[in-house]
Amino acid sequence: ALAGSASETPLQQDLLEQLFPLFISGDSPGSTALLLRLWPLQPAAIMRAMAQLHRAQPQSILRLLDLAQSCNALEQVLRLSAYSFTIDLATLAQRKDLIEVEPWLVECLRRDKEHAFLKAVLDYLRDKLLGPSARSAVASSATNLNVLSLDTAAVFF
C-alpha cells in the first residue's frame, strides 16, 4: 500500500519511519539515487521522514532542501503541515532564490483556518530573532541553524 493511504498498515508505516530517515540523512552511499527512485512510489513517506529528520536534526535543512529540489518537489514539500520544517525550508529556499517567501506565506495564512501556521510563524520568529531560550527549555535543546535573513524576516513583518 502507498504510504499515507488508508490501506497503509501500521507495520509498513513503522518500517518506513525507521528506514527513510537513514537514507534522507545522506549517510549511506547512493541514498539520493534510491530516494529519487522511491519518490514516485512513496512521496508521502519520504516527506514524513524529511519532517521527522528536521525535528531530530534541524541542521539537516540544507540536505533536505537539496533532496526536495532533486525530486522536483519543493512546492509539494512546502505544503506539509510540519510548519517548523516548512518555514525553515521556505526561508532557506528564499535565501537561495528558489522561491519568493511572501506569496508562499500569504497562501499558507489563507489556508490556515485553525491558526496553527500563524502560531508556528510566531514561534519561528521568536526562536530565530530572540533565540530558542525565549521559548521553552525543551525547544532550546535542539541545535539551531539560523537560516532567516534580515530581508526574509522583514517579509514576515
Side-chain angles (χ1 to χ4, degrees):
L2 285 178
S5 71
S7 59
E8 180 183 44
T9 67
L11 177 61
Q12 181 185 15
Q13 183 175 354
D14 192 40
L15 283 172
L16 292 174
E17 286 180 9
Q18 297 295 318
L19 294 174
F20 277 159
L22 298 173
F23 293 108
I24 289 174
S25 67
D27 293 338
S28 56
S31 61
T32 300
L34 175 67
L35 289 166
L36 289 174
R37 290 191 54 119
L38 288 174
W39 179 264
L41 302 172
Q42 298 288 353
I46 293 172
M47 289 189 294
R48 219 174 30 227
M50 291 170 76
Q52 179 184 350
L53 180 62
H54 182 262
R55 268 191 311 279
Q57 300 173 17
Q59 69 276 15
S60 67
I61 194 69
L62 292 167
R63 165 76 175 133
L64 296 171
L65 177 61
D66 290 343
L67 178 59
Q69 283 186 274
S70 296
C71 294
N72 293 320
L74 182 57
E75 284 184 37
Q76 190 175 357
V77 174
L78 287 173
R79 286 192 295 269
L80 290 174
S81 61
Y83 296 131
S84 66
F85 168 49
T86 57
I87 295 167
D88 220 13
L89 192 65
T91 57
L92 181 59
Q94 164 96 10
R95 287 188 79 169
K96 293 184 168 271
D97 295 322
L98 299 172
I99 67 164
E100 289 293 326
V101 86
E102 187 171 1
W104 173 80
L105 187 61
V106 168
E107 176 60 24
C108 290
L109 289 170
R110 186 187 63 72
R111 288 190 320 244
D112 186 29
K113 305 296 183 216
E114 303 295 319
H115 305 293
F117 180 76
L118 180 59
K119 182 186 178 319
V121 167
L122 294 174
D123 289 344
Y124 180 83
L125 290 172
R126 185 180 308 116
D127 286 352
K128 298 300 181 181
L129 298 175
L130 301 176
S133 61
R135 268 178 69 196
S136 67
V138 174
S140 66
S141 66
T143 303
N144 192 22
L145 177 65
N146 194 347
V147 296
L148 183 64
S149 69
L150 291 177
D151 292 339
T152 304
V155 171
F156 283 94
F157 292 106

